[in-house]
Amino acid sequence: MSNQSQNTVAFLRHLTTDRGPFLVRRTEVAPSCDDQPLHETHYQQAPDLYALCGIAEKALPEQQARILFQLLACSRVELSLEIRQMLDRVTTQLLTALDPQQVLTVFLASRRARANHKHTRRAILRYLLNHPRLEELANQRRPTLVDCLEHALGKNVARACARFIGEGNEQDNYVRRHLLRFAHDPERVRKVVAALYRRGELLVSNSTFVVAFPTKVANQEDDVPRTITATNRGEIAATLVHVYRGGSNAELNAAVQRFVQEEVTCLPRFDGTVALILDASASTQGYGEREFCCISQSQAFRLVLEQCCAKLHVVQVGGAGDLARPDGDTDLATAVLDALDTEPDVVAIVSDGYENHLQGDLARVVASLPDAGVQTPVVFCHSKFSGKDDLNLRRPAPGVPELEFWHQEDFAEVLWFLFAHARSPKGEAFLRQELGQRLVSLEREKQSWIAN
Amino acid sequence: MDRQLVPLKLDLSAHRFGRPQQAGPMTVLPLFGPEANGKFTPPLSGIKLAGVRGYGNVELHNPSRSGVAILPLHMGYIQDQAQNHALCGSAFLGAGQKRLFEDACCVQQAQGGYLESKEQWFFILPLHLREEALRLRGQKHYGKLWPEISKLNQRLGLEARGHLEQVICRQRPLLTQYQTRVELLNGQTGALFFVGDRLAGVEIAPSAAYFREVWTPLVCFCYGVAAMELEGKVKEQPVLPFAAGNLGELRQQLVASRQDRLQRIHDWLHRTPADKFDRKEEESYLGMRLYTATGNNFVGQFVEDEGRLVYASVAARAKYLEGISWEAIAN
C-alpha cells in the first residue's frame, strides 16, 4: 500500500512531530540529524514537493531548518526553471519565518558542507544584507556573519570588499558588483561590513523583527471548552444529536443542511473518489450524557465529506438508512472489501474503534491488500467524544494510518490528510495544489524583505 | 432430578444464535429467544433499592403496577459513604411488592453506612465470586464473602481485602469499555459468554428489554472482570496477512478464516463437559418456579414459567475456570 503520496503524508507527519534540533558540531563536517537521510530521500524524489512540505501548517521550526539546509546545500543543475523558481520561493519563506539564530546555523552547515552553489550564495547574501536586525546580528554574531559572508562571496572577495569599503570610494564598482547588488540599502551594508571587519564604528539597530508566518493554529488548548457536552462539539453534530434523540423535524433538518454548507466553504476539496466506511454499529450510540455523540459526529463528517470530494461511496456498518439509529455488531473487514470494490482513490474508516466481528480481521485484511494488488490507501479516522479519549483498546488495525476528530474544527485537518493519502496521482496532485496555494497566500500576506 | 441445561450443539441457524463477537479474551455468542410479552418487568425499572435495614439486610421494591420482576442473580449496589451490598440469589418480586433479603452480603469490609434508595445503579458479582456467593445463600452473615473478595483482589494484583470497589470502581474505565467492545444487538435476549477458550456462563432473559438492562452489569462487571484478568497476558502476535492475489481471493479467504473461527467456538462448546445439574426449587410465583442448578462445572439459577425456560444465569465454577487458555484465541 506504499505509494508516493503515502510516503509524503508520513513525511509531513514527521515534520510536525520530530523536534530533534538541527545541530552543526565543530567536529563534524555535516549537520548531525538522525533524519537527514529521510530528508535527502524526499528531496531526491520530488524537490518541489519536498520544499512545499516545509511550509505546511504546523511544520516545526527544527524541521523547517533541515529543509532549508537541504534546499541550500543541493545542486539544482538538472532541475527545470519552474522547479528552481519554486525552490527559491519556498527558501524565501523559510528564511523569513525561521529564527535568525537558526538560519545562521543552517548557513554555517552549508559552509561546513562546502555548498556554494549560485542559489546558496544568493540566498545567504540576500538574507544577511537585507535583514531587519542586521546591525544586531553583526554585533552579537560577528564571527559567524564573517564566516557566512566569506563563504558566500569567497574569502578573498569578501575581504577585498571590506578593505575597499574601509578605504573610501575607490574600487566602488568592485564592491557594488560583488556585494552591494544584493542589498536594498547599500549605505547600511557598507557600515555593517566595515564594522564586521573592525573598520568602522559600532552598530546600533533601530529595526524591529518581522516574521511572515501566521502563528494561529486551529483548536488551541484555550479554545477547548472546559466541559465537553453533546452540544459543544460543533453545530452540525449538536443538531444531529437532537435529531437522534427523537426530535427530528423540518427546522432541525434544515439547520443541519445550513451548517454543513457553512462548514464546507472553508474546507479542502478533492477531485477524486472517496469510499467512506461509516461505523453505525450499536456501540456508536454511546450511553449516558454521551449518548448519540459519536454517531452524530461521524454523520457530520459524512455530510461534510460528501460536499468536499468529487464522488463519495458510503459503506455503512450496522444501522440502516441515512441517519439510522446505531445497531448491530462491527464487521469492518468485510466493509473494507466492499469499499474497495467501488475502486476509490482512498478508503476512510470512520469508527469508534471497537471491532468485534471478528476482532483482528480488519488488521489481517489491510495487511493483505498489497499482495492482492490493491494500492488504494486505507485510513482509519477515529470518531471520539473528546480530545482526551483513551484509544488504547480502539486501534483495530495498528499498521493503518490514523486520523482523529472529536470537534467539527478537526474536520479541516482530517480531510486534508485524508485527501493527501489518496493513491497516485490524485494524492500528490492534491498536495501540490494545497501547498502551492498556501505558498501563494503566504506571499500575499506579507512581502518578504528578502525578495528582489 | 437431573437436567441438561446448556445445549451443547452450536446451532448457527440464526434463529437462536447471533454472530459471535470478540473483545480481547472475551467472546460472546448472542442469543435471540421469544419475548415474554410484558409479563416480566426489566430489573432497572422493576426493582428499586428501598435501602439497607442493618448490615446484610437489603430491602427491594417493585413499584410497577403489573409484571413480575426476576432479581438478576448476584445483583449488587454501590453507593458513596455506604457499605456496598450484593445479593446471593435470585428471587421473584411481584408488582407492588417490597421484600427484605436478610442473606445479602457486604462487599466493602471497612466502610460504614447504609445504602439508600437514592441511586439504583446495580452490578453483577464478578464471575469468580458467583459460585461462593450462591453457596452462601441463606446464611445470615454479612461478612461471608470478604475472604473470596480478598482472594479475587489478590489475583488481580490489588490489595488483598474484602473491598470489591477496588475492582468495580477503580477499574471502571477499563471494565465499562466491554459494553462497547462487545455490542448488544437489537432483540437480543441472552448470550453465551466465553473467557479465553472456555464457556464461562449462560445468560438468558425473559425479554430483550430485560436483557438490555442487565447487559452492562453482566458484560462489564461479571464476565468483564474475568476477561480483564487475562488482558495483556498473551503476547501480541504479528498480523498474519492472507495469501491472496486479488480482492476476490481475499474475500474468499476471509470467509474461510471466519468459518475456522466459528468452528473454534463450536469446538469450545463441544469440549464443554456435558454437565448434569442437581436442581433445587427455591421459590415460586403463580406458575413460575425458581431453581438453583448445581453441576460439576457450572452453578446458577433459572426460572421456568409453565415449564418453559424464561430466565437463566449459570456461571462456570472456579475449578473449571482454572484451565482457561487465551493463546488459543489470540490471532
Side-chain angles (χ1 to χ4, degrees):
Chain A
M1 205 168 59
S2 173
N3 64 28
Q4 176 63 39
S5 52
Q6 290 276 73
N7 291 336
T8 309
V9 175
F11 181 62
L12 276 166
R13 287 281 184 208
H14 176 79
L15 297 182
T16 57
T17 52
D18 190 325
R19 292 185 179 274
F22 180 84
L23 294 175
V24 185
R25 299 188 194 284
R26 287 181 190 280
T27 52
E28 292 171 7
V29 292
S32 49
C33 304
D34 294 341
D35 57 354
Q36 194 59 29
L38 181 72
H39 280 263
E40 283 169 12
T41 306
H42 279 274
Y43 180 85
Q44 296 302 334
Q45 282 173 352
D48 55 335
L49 191 55
Y50 169 82
L52 285 170
C53 288
I55 56 155
E57 238 181 297
K58 298 185 185 177
L60 296 168
E62 296 86 348
Q63 293 293 332
Q64 288 180 321
R66 287 162 169 77
I67 291 177
L68 179 61
F69 170 73
Q70 200 68 34
L71 297 183
L72 293 180
C74 290
S75 165
R76 298 180 185 172
V77 169
E78 292 179 357
L79 301 183
S80 68
L81 178 64
E82 194 183 355
I83 291 180
R84 288 182 197 199
Q85 285 173 343
M86 169 74 80
L87 300 191
D88 277 341
R89 289 167 65 199
V90 173
T91 302
T92 300
Q93 290 302 319
L94 292 176
L95 286 170
T96 317
L98 285 169
D99 183 87
Q101 306 296 347
Q102 207 147 24
V103 173
L104 291 180
T105 306
V106 173
F107 288 168
L108 285 177
S110 65
R111 176 175 180 266
R112 197 70 63 81
R114 296 179 184 276
N116 60 350
H117 309 290
K118 198 169 174 183
H119 68 270
T120 318
R121 289 184 275 128
R122 284 184 177 196
I124 293 173
L125 292 171
R126 281 185 183 143
Y127 180 83
L128 291 180
L129 303 184
N130 299 306
H131 200 284
R133 288 164 61 187
L134 175 59
E135 291 80 1
E136 193 182 325
L137 287 174
N139 281 333
Q140 292 178 359
R141 302 287 305 271
R142 194 191 69 81
T144 305
L145 257 63
V146 169
D147 278 354
C148 293
L149 267 183
E150 293 186 353
H151 172 58
L153 290 171
K155 190 189 284 184
N156 292 337
V157 174
R159 291 183 181 181
C161 286
R163 187 159 57 85
F164 293 146
I165 288 171
E167 290 171 355
N169 281 338
E170 283 181 49
Q171 304 293 341
D172 194 48
N173 275 347
Y174 183 87
V175 178
R176 196 174 295 280
R177 196 168 66 244
H178 287 95
L179 181 73
L180 298 181
R181 69 188 175 104
F182 297 103
H184 296 156
D185 185 350
E187 285 312 308
R188 179 183 176 218
V189 170
R190 281 178 196 278
K191 285 182 192 167
V192 171
V193 170
L196 283 176
Y197 284 87
R198 309 282 194 206
R199 293 170 188 274
E201 296 170 4
L202 282 178
L203 299 162
V204 180
S205 170
N206 294 320
S207 310
T208 53
F209 183 53
V210 183
V211 287
F213 276 23
T215 51
K216 185 183 180 304
V217 177
N219 218 358
Q220 295 268 1
E221 199 66 30
D222 293 345
D223 301 337
V224 178
R226 283 175 67 87
T227 304
I228 296 162
T229 67
T231 52
N232 64 2
R233 302 158 68 245
E235 294 290 0
I236 306 172
T239 314
L240 285 172
V241 164
H242 291 304
V243 174
Y244 269 114
R245 284 173 178 168
S248 179
N249 58 46
E251 196 179 356
L252 285 175
N253 294 334
V256 168
Q257 297 306 319
R258 190 173 71 250
F259 291 137
V260 169
Q261 292 308 322
E262 285 171 10
E263 177 68 12
V264 298
T265 54
C266 54
L267 293 178
R269 303 203 167 259
F270 177 57
D271 181 28
T273 306
V274 179
L276 171 69
I277 295 168
L278 185 71
D279 181 1
S281 63
S283 62
T284 60
Q285 179 166 331
Y287 55 91
E289 290 177 353
R290 301 181 179 193
E291 193 172 27
F292 299 118
C293 286
C294 174
I295 186 66
S296 295
Q297 200 63 281
S298 300
Q299 293 281 15
F301 184 78
R302 173 183 71 88
L303 292 169
V304 163
L305 179 58
E306 254 172 11
Q307 306 289 321
C308 292
C309 63
K311 198 169 185 183
L312 179 71
H313 297 287
V314 179
V315 178
Q316 192 163 300
V317 176
D322 267 0
L323 282 179
R325 288 181 79 86
D327 184 32
D329 56 13
T330 313
D331 178 3
L332 297 175
T334 307
V336 165
L337 296 178
D338 293 345
L340 288 169
D341 281 343
T342 65
E343 298 189 351
D345 294 306
V346 62
V347 175
I349 304 172
V350 171
S351 168
D352 59 2
Y354 293 112
E355 178 202 26
N356 51 37
H357 179 82
L358 286 158
Q359 193 183 29
D361 277 354
L362 176 67
R364 286 194 75 186
V365 164
V366 173
S368 310
L369 293 178
D371 285 344
V374 178
Q375 296 300 319
T376 308
V378 178
V379 182
F380 199 96
C381 304
H382 290 277
S383 178
K384 307 191 299 182
F385 175 74
S386 76
K388 293 180 178 171
D389 280 16
D390 180 4
L391 298 179
N392 271 340
L393 295 169
R394 296 166 60 177
R395 292 199 161 93
V400 171
E402 293 178 22
L403 301 170
E404 301 170 14
F405 62 81
W406 69 271
H407 195 284
Q408 193 172 308
E409 285 180 11
D410 297 333
F411 288 174
E413 186 175 329
V414 171
L415 287 173
W416 199 94
F417 276 100
L418 175 64
F419 298 154
H421 269 100
R423 64 180 172 180
S424 295
K426 293 283 173 69
E428 281 165 64
F430 173 81
L431 276 172
R432 282 178 203 279
Q433 183 195 329
E434 284 290 312
L435 292 170
Q437 280 177 2
R438 178 165 167 76
L439 179 60
V440 170
S441 72
L442 286 172
E443 288 169 340
R444 277 191 194 142
E445 262 175 43
K446 190 156 287 190
Q447 184 73 32
S448 170
W449 43 264
I450 301 170
N452 284 322
Chain B
M1 181 179 155
D2 287 345
R3 175 192 165 85
Q4 186 176 302
L5 180 66
V6 183
L8 292 177
K9 286 185 181 172
L10 181 61
D11 177 9
L12 295 177
S13 64
H15 294 289
R16 294 189 64 201
F17 290 92
R19 300 199 303 185
Q21 297 180 32
Q22 192 207 330
M26 184 193 291
T27 303
V28 175
L29 198 56
L31 286 172
F32 298 88
E35 283 280 331
N37 296 326
K39 192 170 182 179
F40 300 93
T41 55
L44 208 55
S45 44
I47 301 167
K48 299 294 179 192
L49 172 68
V52 165
R53 315 297 177 213
Y55 295 134
N57 301 311
V58 173
E59 191 173 63
L60 299 177
H61 172 52
N62 178 356
S64 53
R65 292 188 174 181
S66 64
V68 182
I70 301 172
L71 262 61
L73 181 60
H74 299 142
M75 73 188 303
Y77 291 91
I78 284 183
Q79 290 177 6
D80 280 343
Q81 314 248 312
Q83 200 169 70
N84 304 322
H85 278 68
L87 296 174
C88 291
S90 180
F92 295 116
L93 209 55
Q97 268 188 11
K98 188 177 267 190
R99 279 183 68 177
L100 184 67
F101 296 90
E102 295 176 321
D103 65 341
C105 47
C106 165
V107 293
Q108 194 177 16
Q109 191 172 357
Q111 172 70 47
Y114 293 152
L115 293 170
E116 295 172 2
S117 59
K118 58 183 180 183
E119 286 176 54
Q120 298 295 334
W121 175 86
F122 72 89
F123 66 93
I124 303 286
L125 281 176
L127 179 61
H128 288 97
L129 298 178
R130 299 191 82 181
E131 178 188 357
E132 185 65 2
L134 192 63
R135 190 182 68 77
L136 295 171
R137 73 190 185 284
Q139 293 185 19
K140 295 177 184 175
H141 169 47
Y142 63 86
K144 59 192 176 183
L145 205 57
W146 290 343
E148 279 304 304
I149 296 172
S150 183
K151 279 186 210 165
L152 175 66
N153 280 328
Q154 206 164 14
R155 63 185 292 164
L156 294 174
L158 304 169
E159 194 180 345
R161 56 191 199 139
H163 282 253
L164 192 57
E165 84 283 358
Q166 290 187 157
V167 181
I168 303 290
C169 297
R170 294 192 201 161
Q171 306 297 324
R172 200 169 165 175
L174 179 62
L175 291 174
T176 49
Q177 285 197 61
Y178 281 109
Q179 68 181 307
T180 35
R181 293 173 73 187
V182 184
E183 291 167 308
L184 178 70
L185 304 178
N186 206 12
Q188 187 176 342
T189 55
L192 303 189
F193 289 88
F194 296 85
V195 176
D197 61 345
R198 299 232 164 164
L199 179 65
V202 179
E203 303 290 338
I204 294 169
S207 67
Y210 187 108
F211 195 68
R212 180 171 291 279
E213 292 190 2
V214 84
W215 168 249
T216 300
L218 281 173
V219 76
C220 298
F221 305 114
C222 176
Y223 299 102
V225 172
M228 180 182 73
E229 189 189 358
L230 297 180
E231 295 272 10
K233 284 194 176 172
V234 174
K235 196 178 168 187
E236 257 183 52
Q237 302 293 316
V239 176
L240 189 68
F242 295 107
N246 56 52
L247 271 182
E249 284 178 24
L250 184 53
R251 196 181 284 271
Q252 283 173 5
Q253 292 198 21
L254 176 65
V255 171
S257 151
R258 288 182 166 179
Q259 287 297 334
D260 287 347
R261 291 176 76 175
L262 286 177
Q263 184 60 42
R264 210 186 293 173
I265 297 168
H266 192 273
D267 293 344
W268 296 344
L269 271 177
H270 254 302
R271 285 208 308 269
T272 307
D275 227 348
K276 297 289 182 185
F277 288 97
D278 287 333
R279 73 174 183 180
K280 180 187 171 198
E281 184 175 322
E282 300 287 344
E283 62 180 61
S284 66
Y285 188 95
L286 297 175
M288 289 167 266
R289 301 261 183 284
L290 170 68
Y291 298 99
T292 295
T294 309
N296 284 331
N297 300 307
F298 293 87
V299 290
Q301 292 190 320
F302 63 95
V303 172
E304 284 183 348
D305 181 15
E306 308 289 354
R308 184 175 67 85
L309 184 71
V310 291
Y311 172 82
S313 184
V314 179
R317 300 180 73 157
K319 65 178 182 186
Y320 182 67
L321 292 171
E322 271 163 21
I324 285 179
S325 161
W326 186 28
E327 283 86 347
I329 67 167
N331 271 331

